[in-house]
Amino acid sequence: MVIVILGPTAVGKTKMSVELAKRLNGEVINVDSTQIYKDLDIATAKITEEEKENIPHHLFDIKDINENYTVYDYQKDCRKVIDEIIKKGKTPILVGGTGLYIKAVLYDYKFEEENNDNQFENLSNEEIYNKLKQIDNNINIHVNNRKRLVRALNYCLNNNKKFSDKQKTDKLLYDTIFIGLTTKRDILYDRINKRVDEMVEKGLLEEAKKIYDSNVRSKAVMTPIGYKELFPYFEGNSSLNDCLEAIKHNSRKYAKKQYTWFNNQMDVIWFNVNFDDFNKTIDEVYAYIKSINN
């Protein structure tokens, strides 16, 4: 049995994963594409050593920020870890909010190795879209979805295949329970705003400045919310307050996108989080998992 704890940012996934690991003889596997990287700690809300409570955690801090790491790489690495945990008679508990990573690992998705990861910085969205249309006239990606356009064009160029023919499936490879944590939208947005303020208190500006000064502008640096938004402040082009508001706005927007993706892609059982007594939510989730296993 594989347990997946998913949901938007700031909803309590980390705490839930650790508590379930205690009760289910489990080990935790990261399913957040930004927490793969070293030195990206505060903005990504990466679990601390203290928070791990001696529970084994996997696929955190395995790459430097200037290294390339693809969904294909993650699929291989995570499946290997899952199989190793199961062989030990323990429960793999995947936790995170990167839907594509979850889907790639648990479903029978076929990924070819991505040797080229060009971000096409010199091309506009329209130019990337037009290049894609020349290769694959059946492409169905909105011109404003740059991230997906880049991924699709790289796929076509790497594999000499049409992206629209990419093999996808809803066949699960593991016996899996998808647990979603949720709350009312206004509560979530308030928690996101407060979390950003807490990140600043914990040293977000210092962490972001160190990355800014490194001059590394890789996908690892430019993808997470919380670093690139502060660059205009370091350059003297925006106020600190405006940059922090951008982080909060983008985080709220991303949370909304996460809900939509999970609801459309997976059979998730959602639990409303009791932030006043989180143990009650843990008990609810644990009782549900035990009822499924019995």
Side-chain angles (χ1 to χ4, degrees):
M1 174 70 70
V2 175
I3 309 297
V4 182
I5 308 298
L6 54 80
T9 183
V11 81
K13 298 186 297 294
T14 296
K15 179 67 173 174
M16 178 64 72
S17 65
V18 171
E19 293 303 316
L20 287 181
K22 294 178 187 176
R23 300 187 187 193
L24 297 169
N25 187 28
E27 298 189 9
V28 176
I29 306 174
N30 169 46
V31 197
D32 185 307
S33 63
T34 62
Q35 295 183 10
I36 291 288
Y37 296 96
K38 302 171 187 175
D39 301 321
L40 305 184
D41 301 326
I42 298 174
T44 67
K46 189 182 295 175
I47 190 169
T48 65
E49 288 302 317
E50 183 180 1
E51 290 170 334
K52 291 178 183 177
E53 298 190 41
N54 296 318
I55 298 295
H57 281 65
H58 304 273
L59 301 185
F60 292 86
D61 296 325
I62 63 171
K63 291 291 175 180
D64 293 323
I65 59 174
N66 57 359
E67 289 185 89
N68 184 39
Y69 191 76
T70 68
V71 180
Y72 172 84
D73 296 321
Y74 180 82
Q75 184 187 65
K76 289 192 304 178
D77 291 344
C78 190
R79 286 179 180 176
K80 180 181 178 182
V81 173
I82 289 174
D83 293 341
E84 289 171 351
I85 294 172
I86 291 174
K87 284 179 182 177
K88 290 189 287 187
K90 303 182 76 173
T91 304
I93 300 175
L94 279 62
V95 58
T98 304
L100 183 60
Y101 272 28
I102 298 172
K103 200 79 166 165
V105 169
L106 300 177
Y107 290 81
D108 191 19
Y109 267 44
K110 303 296 190 296
F111 286 94
E112 282 79 8
E113 186 167 6
E114 299 177 22
N115 299 312
N116 179 33
D117 189 38
N118 194 333
Q119 294 301 298
F120 305 104
E121 291 93 345
N122 60 323
L123 298 180
S124 67
N125 287 16
E126 290 76 12
E127 288 171 327
I128 297 174
Y129 179 81
N130 290 333
K131 278 183 173 291
L132 262 175
K133 291 293 284 186
Q134 291 174 7
I135 300 171
D136 184 356
N137 195 46
N138 295 320
I139 203 74
N140 185 25
I141 301 175
H142 196 279
V143 69
N144 291 335
N145 193 341
R146 183 179 182 88
K147 188 174 181 180
R148 194 148 181 255
L149 288 172
V150 167
R151 184 184 303 130
L153 184 53
N154 271 319
Y155 176 87
C156 294
L157 296 176
N158 286 333
N159 302 294
N160 196 28
K161 294 180 182 179
K162 293 182 178 180
F163 187 77
S164 60
D165 293 338
K166 190 174 181 181
Q167 187 173 1
K168 295 185 178 183
T169 178
D170 288 327
K171 178 187 175 184
L172 275 167
L173 298 178
Y174 304 89
D175 189 10
T176 306
I177 298 176
F178 294 97
I179 302 296
L181 301 183
T182 187
T183 188
K184 292 181 179 178
R185 197 61 58 93
D186 60 333
I187 294 176
L188 178 64
Y189 287 176
D190 183 58
R191 286 181 61 82
I192 289 172
N193 293 340
K194 288 178 178 177
R195 174 184 263 192
V196 174
D197 294 334
E198 291 169 0
M199 286 176 173
V200 173
E201 294 175 5
K202 291 178 180 178
L204 173 62
L205 294 183
E206 292 78 7
E207 182 175 278
K209 184 63 163 59
K210 183 178 179 181
I211 292 169
Y212 175 80
D213 289 342
S214 73
N215 288 319
V216 175
R217 299 295 182 265
S218 61
K219 185 170 66 173
V221 169
M222 303 307 291
T223 297
I225 299 169
Y227 299 114
K228 61 184 179 296
E229 289 85 357
L230 286 167
F231 289 177
Y233 169 66
F234 299 140
E235 293 164 352
N237 296 323
S238 294
S239 70
L240 177 58
N241 185 65
D242 285 348
C243 291
L244 293 177
E245 284 302 316
I247 294 174
K248 293 174 182 178
H249 171 77
N250 291 343
S251 297
R252 295 191 300 267
K253 185 177 178 181
Y254 181 59
K256 184 178 179 180
K257 182 179 177 181
Q258 285 176 302
Y259 273 128
T260 301
W261 205 94
F262 290 133
N263 281 323
N264 290 336
Q265 296 285 334
M266 298 168 190
D267 187 16
V268 181
I269 304 299
W270 292 98
F271 291 83
N272 283 300
V273 177
N274 183 339
F275 292 110
D276 295 324
D277 188 354
F278 195 71
N279 285 329
K280 287 186 177 179
T281 307
I282 295 169
D283 290 341
E284 281 183 43
V285 172
Y286 177 70
Y288 173 76
I289 292 172
K290 295 301 289 184
S291 71
I292 294 295
N293 281 335
N294 292 337

